Amino acid sequence: MPRSVLMEELDAFTYREAIADGAPVIIPVGSIEQHGPHLPLNTDVILSKAMSTRLAGVIGGLVAAPVVYGYKSQQRSGGGNHLGGTTSLDATTLISIARTLTLEFARHGAHRLIFLNGHFENYQFLYEGIEQATAELARRGQDVSAILLSYWDFVDEDTIEEIYSGSFPGWDVEHGGVLETSLMLHLHPNLVRLERVMDLPAAQLPRYDILPVRAELTPASGCLSSAKSASEAAGQLLLERTSKALAEAISAELAAQ
């Protein structure tokens, strides 16, 4: 029986052996955030873990238990932290989590870490925590490096055109829309309720943030674009091409280190 790539499913001895053999550790990072009436609150966790699992299979890595909570949803990228169900961390907490996990996996003996992000707002705070930890480890003379990425950065223009047929609304409003819904239809169709999709126009938001948030600027769905044209076939295409591009890039980077 092949060994699971999921750290949470391994016994401690098997895990330690894999780390000693040089397995990179991939840490999926998501959020608990509303994704409209048709997707579950843990969509970002599910998708980052799925991408991490496929990557681990290619590079011989291990997938750590995911970071479930993320930084505060923002109105122009996630509908806003004011919407019920969204449960968020503040910046200092997420920075501390990223720093602590980097130091912990280094303590286990891991030398190569990959933080695979699935929630837009997380990125800079993950960067800060990882940078603090790798700088500290370097001062100690420990050879530990980390890669930070968001999976949607590996969706190429041809795939976007094939799925959206010229109607791509832009990444800034692709929250609860075609991409996430299609991926979920392919990976976990039982968790998607297409009949509840609210087919509303893409959000028209200012090019600046307003605080306190003006709730009326967020569409009633909580989504920033419509998922009406989402499909399982599009999800399969997205998963295959995105994970392939991601694996090629990370394999090349690890080989160069």
Side-chain angles (χ1 to χ4, degrees):
M1 188 177 208
R3 184 195 77 196
S4 173
V5 299
L6 301 178
M7 178 184 175
E8 63 213 63
E9 294 181 356
L10 299 177
D11 64 83
F13 284 71
T14 302
Y15 169 75
R16 289 197 292 263
E17 289 168 5
I19 293 296
D21 288 340
V25 177
I26 308 165
I27 303 100
V29 190
S31 69
I32 298 299
E33 179 187 35
Q34 69 80 30
H35 282 73
H38 65 287
L39 291 176
L41 289 162
N42 68 339
T43 292
D44 292 342
V45 180
I46 291 171
L47 297 182
S48 61
K49 188 173 181 179
M51 294 289 180
S52 296
T53 302
R54 289 176 73 94
L55 176 61
V58 175
I59 66 172
L62 294 176
V63 180
V67 179
V68 172
Y69 294 100
Y71 182 68
K72 298 167 189 171
S73 177
Q74 295 177 17
Q75 192 169 38
R76 292 194 296 137
S77 51
N81 211 51
H82 62 289
L83 295 171
T86 299
T87 310
S88 305
L89 304 175
D90 61 24
T92 53
T93 302
L94 186 55
I95 290 169
S96 180
I97 288 171
R99 177 181 178 276
T100 300
L101 288 178
T102 302
L103 294 175
E104 279 293 280
F105 288 117
R107 181 177 64 82
H108 297 168
H111 294 282
R112 301 294 176 261
L113 307 178
I114 301 157
F115 283 79
L116 199 154
N117 178 44
H119 175 62
F120 181 84
E121 291 88 342
N122 285 341
Y123 198 91
Q124 294 302 328
F125 306 111
L126 294 174
Y127 186 102
E128 177 64 18
I130 297 164
E131 194 281 331
Q132 289 182 12
T134 52
E136 180 177 336
L137 291 165
R139 288 192 294 270
R140 297 181 195 171
Q142 291 182 250
D143 175 26
V144 177
S145 66
I147 297 168
L148 170 62
L149 63 95
S150 296
Y151 73 81
W152 51 84
D153 287 332
F154 293 84
V155 181
D156 63 85
E157 293 297 326
D158 289 342
T159 301
I160 289 174
E161 179 58 30
E162 192 167 339
I163 290 172
Y164 292 89
S165 301
S167 62
F168 181 55
W171 290 120
D172 54 335
V173 292
E174 181 46 79
H175 173 74
V178 170
L179 180 140
E180 290 181 312
T181 304
S182 294
L183 283 169
M184 288 294 289
L185 280 169
H186 177 58
L187 291 165
H188 296 281
N190 59 307
L191 297 179
V192 183
R193 299 182 64 184
L194 275 182
E195 75 280 3
R196 288 172 61 86
V197 167
M198 297 173 70
D199 186 23
L200 302 175
Q204 298 294 316
L205 294 165
R207 288 175 289 180
Y208 47 82
D209 293 300
I210 304 169
L211 298 169
V213 166
R214 286 169 50 195
E216 69 274 11
L217 295 179
T218 300
S221 64
C223 301
L224 300 184
S225 58
S226 174
K228 182 176 174 58
S229 61
S231 69
E232 188 278 331
Q236 182 176 6
L237 183 69
L238 278 162
L239 183 65
E240 290 178 354
R241 291 189 181 174
T242 303
S243 58
K244 182 176 184 291
L246 198 161
E248 288 173 352
I250 299 304
S251 295
E253 178 61 34
L254 293 175
Q257 292 182 0

